[in-house]
Amino acid sequence: MKTSFKVVIVGGGTAGISVAARLLRQSHSLQGEIAIIDPAEKHYYQPLWTLVGGGAANKWDSEREMLSIIPEGAVWLKEAVSSFDPNQNQVITQGGTTYTYDFLVVAGGIEINWGAIKGLKEALGTKSVCSNYSFEHVDYTWETIRNFKEGTALFTHPNSPVKCGGAPQKIMHLAEDHFNRVNVRDNINIIFGSANPAIFDVLKYREALEKVIERKNIDARFRHNLIEIKADEKIAIFENLDTGTVEEIKYDMIHVTPYMCSPEFIRTSALADENGWVDVDKFTLQHKKYSNVFGIGDNANLPTSKTGAAIRKQAPVVAQNLIALMRQQPMTQMYDGYSSCPIVTGYNKLILAEFDYNKEPVESMPFNQAVERSSMYFMKKDLLPVMYWDGMLKGTM
Amino acid sequence: MANATVSMSEELYQIIEALEKPEVRHSLQRLLEKLPNVEQTIESAENVVDFGKSVLADAKTVDRYEQFASSYNVGSDTITAIVQLMEKLPKLVQTIHQLENIIDFVTAVLQDKQTTDYTMNNLKGYVDPYVEKGKTSLDFLKMIQQRAEEKPQQINVFSIIKWMKDPSVQKSLNYVQATLDILKEKNR
């Protein structure tokens, strides 16, 4: 069995597959020389889960066999990584195999810590406790929303980085729209408990979203961090991050966005910074200490939102800089911190936020994207999945 | 004459003195060792020059290649174009690269059954309401046609008066009346 590769990519998620596809397109000599290490059998297009939870999409459309998306010429090692030895250019798997590399790309994603909120793990999928962040339970979100007729609907955002910072509020907007459609909105009080200081980081979109919140009469409570759920009593316990006080909120349904952190095998490795994320240069994406290592996607310590759109811009930078290193040429590609968040504000309505490291809008459409638009909703629902499966994962977009 | 002999002896003495230096002796030795190679190289160069001379002297061969070259439209225009093309190559490569990406993307979409199924289902979702609406209208027209053919009836003045009482006819006539009123006002 081959255990030495020119390039080892840890993680077969969006970032890992995109980089592998791009490398193979750029240099045919890498055929059979790129290994992707990932134990998962399925690959998910997670942005669709927002719509699944809102009853607007089928969750099975988000799932594909891992084998079907591994680029031709790459070797898939169906194993889980347990540790790194970057001084010896080695990756060690849980099965005990050691793989050596010339170049390493760390694309291990982000880990969901269901246990960080007391009572969540046990209650998830029952007693009106739902979350879009689980393929297994995403259907239950729609079931809960669909059957909800009156009371308090609570939506949360944790005190940690999350996959797609806008997702926790997207499901709230879809739920609100649904309650309106079935004429029960007047019987329902909607609360958004968020650990963030505001509804969105980028001023332009924040102002637009604040108006949406106001128009929809949503009770937004910022710096409120969910720490416990008493599912039997339907009580959510929040910590006020400014005052340190604890507050109980009685709910009738709750959508929870769980805590997320860097995967353990990365967090505890020599590649991590003090917060556990892969320590890379924010422009070249090259590791600060190990020059033959790159970090990309959710597991990198880049000061931008963790989204698939960000990876779309990071992947060409990593691939081209890596090829430049192989050819002993200077690295020329720079990532500007671009990220994008299509914030669904209802069925058929969407604000497309696009911004860079400076939190400045970087809009790709020739119109004001802070306005809620049906065209952008159509793009998210119908065009982006196609672009993802057949463009991004193939290394052409 | 005596002066000339003295000068020669001095030169000879200087040469001998130079030859006594070990680095000069070493260089000379290496040069002598390489002489066969140098001779071979000179011979090869001579061969090439001779070959060139022979080709140029061979009128038949020159004619043949001239004819061959002239069968192509290679002129100064072509040479200028080649130079221009070379200038544009970096940009062209970029464009071709983008084009290649687009072609590969479209090919991937067309070959991806799951994607085409997903797109078709979504399109169906958009189109279905209109198809349904069209169907309802068609059914409505069919029912009218059927009814008219099934029950042919005599239309008389009383029938028309009965129609006039129907709310939908009244509504339409209201529009007619409003249109006439506005036209009248405008023509004043």
Side-chain angles (χ1 to χ4, degrees):
Chain A
M1 188 182 73
K2 188 174 159 73
T3 56
S4 183
F5 295 89
K6 186 101 178 156
V7 183
V8 165
I9 298 174
V10 174
T14 307
I17 299 290
S18 299
V19 170
R22 281 181 177 273
L23 287 173
L24 285 161
R25 285 180 71 80
Q26 280 184 57
S27 175
H28 295 297
S29 68
L30 291 172
Q31 298 264 339
E33 280 299 330
I34 297 178
I36 300 171
I37 309 181
D38 197 311
E41 276 186 22
K42 312 277 184 189
H43 180 105
Y44 296 98
Y45 177 62
Q46 296 181 28
L48 205 64
W49 293 358
T50 300
L51 298 177
V52 175
N58 181 344
K59 81 171 181 178
W60 299 107
D61 285 329
S62 73
E63 186 190 72
R64 292 209 181 177
E65 294 295 326
M66 181 67 107
L67 195 60
S68 72
I69 56 136
I70 297 284
E72 209 181 315
V75 179
W76 175 32
L77 304 170
K78 198 170 164 292
E79 291 183 77
V81 170
S82 68
S83 61
F84 297 97
D85 187 351
N87 293 311
Q88 302 295 321
N89 293 340
Q90 288 178 341
V91 173
I92 300 108
T93 64
Q94 283 180 3
T97 314
T98 299
Y99 294 99
T100 57
Y101 57 80
D102 291 346
F103 299 93
L104 173 70
V105 178
V106 188
I110 194 167
E111 197 172 277
I112 294 183
N113 185 355
W114 293 104
I117 295 167
K118 198 177 163 193
L120 171 61
K121 205 172 177 179
E122 305 77 41
L124 187 63
T126 63
K127 299 169 190 166
S128 303
V129 179
C130 57
S131 179
N132 276 353
Y133 280 90
S134 154
F135 180 75
E136 191 192 342
H137 295 109
V138 67
D139 284 336
Y140 185 69
T141 304
W142 175 231
E143 196 185 316
T144 307
I145 291 170
R146 201 180 40 188
N147 295 321
F148 198 64
K149 304 287 181 235
E150 59 182 347
T152 297
L154 183 54
F155 297 84
T156 72
H157 186 133
N159 186 25
S160 76
V162 294
K163 290 188 248 197
C164 187
Q169 60 179 300
K170 292 177 197 175
I171 185 62
M172 174 178 72
H173 290 308
L174 285 179
E176 194 273 346
D177 203 353
H178 174 75
F179 298 150
N180 263 317
R181 286 182 175 200
V182 293
N183 295 319
V184 295
R185 178 67 182 92
D186 290 343
N187 312 328
I188 295 167
N189 176 33
I190 298 179
I191 300 175
F192 185 50
S194 169
N196 284 344
I199 195 74
F200 206 76
D201 272 355
V202 182
L203 183 66
K204 178 176 179 177
Y205 306 115
R206 181 194 304 166
E207 286 172 350
L209 288 166
E210 278 169 353
K211 282 181 191 153
V212 174
I213 293 279
E214 200 182 323
R215 185 186 78 221
K216 293 188 171 196
N217 197 22
I218 290 169
D219 177 3
R221 301 181 190 182
F222 297 109
R223 304 292 289 157
H224 274 58
N225 181 37
L226 180 69
I227 52 174
E228 187 181 346
I229 294 175
K230 292 180 178 170
D232 290 330
E233 301 158 64
K234 294 202 168 177
I235 288 173
I237 301 171
F238 287 85
E239 179 197 6
N240 186 313
L241 295 172
D242 290 327
T243 61
T245 54
V246 169
E247 184 187 337
E248 285 189 356
I249 297 178
K250 187 95 181 71
Y251 67 81
D252 296 287
M253 71 151 275
I254 184 169
H255 176 274
V256 184
T257 303
Y259 277 92
M260 296 178 209
C261 58
S262 177
E264 196 188 348
F265 69 94
I266 291 171
R267 205 163 63 223
T268 54
S269 76
L271 300 173
D273 69 0
E274 66 275 14
N275 296 316
W277 307 102
V278 181
D279 195 15
V280 294
D281 178 274
K282 70 176 190 173
F283 298 114
T284 63
L285 307 181
Q286 185 183 37
H287 196 274
K288 284 180 184 164
K289 192 174 164 197
Y290 302 99
S291 61
N292 62 339
V293 177
F294 285 81
I296 180 173
D298 293 352
N299 67 192
N301 64 346
L302 302 168
T304 191
S305 291
K306 298 182 183 302
T307 65
I311 293 168
R312 194 166 76 83
K313 296 284 182 177
Q314 291 165 16
V317 173
V318 168
Q320 288 186 39
N321 282 345
L322 223 155
I323 294 269
L325 270 191
M326 284 178 195
R327 293 173 180 163
Q328 297 179 340
Q329 291 167 346
M331 295 189 296
T332 54
Q333 298 300 308
M334 298 284 153
Y335 171 60
D336 65 0
Y338 172 90
S339 194
S340 165
C341 190
I343 303 164
V344 179
T345 54
Y347 298 103
N348 224 21
K349 277 186 289 182
L350 188 144
I351 286 175
L352 181 62
E354 287 183 288
F355 46 93
D356 61 14
Y357 275 139
N358 302 320
K359 308 280 179 213
E360 290 295 330
V362 186
E363 301 190 337
S364 42
M365 299 292 169
F367 45 70
N368 181 5
Q369 291 178 201
V371 174
E372 295 170 82
R373 290 178 196 275
S374 309
S375 56
M376 295 293 95
Y377 181 86
F378 168 77
M379 188 187 77
K380 177 185 166 61
K381 186 173 184 286
D382 301 305
L383 298 183
L384 289 184
V386 179
M387 281 170 69
Y388 179 77
W389 293 115
D390 300 307
M392 206 172 147
L393 294 189
K394 307 275 181 201
T396 57
M397 278 187 169
Chain B
M1 183 73 185
N3 281 346
T5 313
V6 170
S7 166
M8 264 184 73
S9 310
E10 265 176 20
E11 270 176 29
L12 205 62
Y13 176 73
Q14 278 170 3
I15 290 168
I16 290 165
E17 203 176 32
L19 281 170
E20 275 174 356
K21 287 181 184 168
E23 67 268 24
V24 174
R25 274 210 315 275
H26 184 66
S27 298
L28 267 176
Q29 194 186 342
R30 288 190 63 189
L31 206 62
L32 285 169
E33 278 169 8
K34 284 183 189 272
L35 263 182
N37 278 344
V38 172
E39 191 198 4
Q40 238 176 1
T41 312
I42 290 170
E43 248 178 49
S44 305
E46 260 179 16
N47 288 343
V48 170
V49 172
D50 287 349
F51 171 72
K53 277 182 185 170
S54 308
V55 169
L56 288 173
D58 184 350
K60 215 172 168 184
T61 307
V62 171
D63 277 356
R64 215 176 113 205
Y65 279 98
E66 206 179 318
Q67 265 181 19
F68 174 74
S70 63
S71 72
Y72 289 94
N73 295 329
V74 180
S76 60
D77 287 352
T78 316
I79 306 231
T80 314
I82 287 172
V83 174
Q84 283 180 349
L85 200 64
M86 280 165 76
E87 277 177 358
K88 288 179 197 300
L89 271 182
K91 212 169 180 181
L92 267 178
V93 167
Q94 219 176 356
T95 313
I96 289 169
H97 184 66
Q98 282 167 350
L99 201 66
E100 188 193 13
N101 281 347
I102 293 168
I103 292 167
D104 285 353
F105 169 67
V106 174
T107 312
V109 170
L110 294 175
Q111 287 174 348
D112 186 342
K113 196 180 174 299
Q114 278 172 284
T115 291
T116 43
D117 285 353
Y118 178 78
T119 309
M120 290 313 288
N121 282 338
N122 285 358
L123 277 176
K124 211 168 160 282
Y126 292 112
V127 172
D128 274 357
Y130 295 103
V131 172
E132 206 51 51
K133 217 173 170 182
K135 257 182 162 175
T136 315
S137 308
L138 206 65
D139 286 349
F140 177 66
L141 287 174
K142 271 183 188 164
M143 275 172 72
I144 292 171
Q145 195 184 9
Q146 212 175 356
R147 186 76 57 90
E149 281 167 8
E150 271 173 11
K151 295 182 185 173
Q153 47 188 314
Q154 195 71 32
I155 307 292
N156 52 35
V157 166
F158 296 106
S159 305
I160 295 170
I161 291 170
K162 211 172 145 192
W163 293 352
M164 300 284 273
K165 283 181 183 169
D166 192 281
S168 51
V169 174
Q170 280 292 319
K171 203 177 171 186
S172 304
L173 288 176
N174 268 335
Y175 276 101
V176 174
Q177 187 61 53
T179 311
L180 288 174
D181 287 349
I182 289 167
L183 280 174
K184 208 171 163 187
E185 280 167 26
K186 287 208 168 204
N187 287 335
R188 254 180 216 165

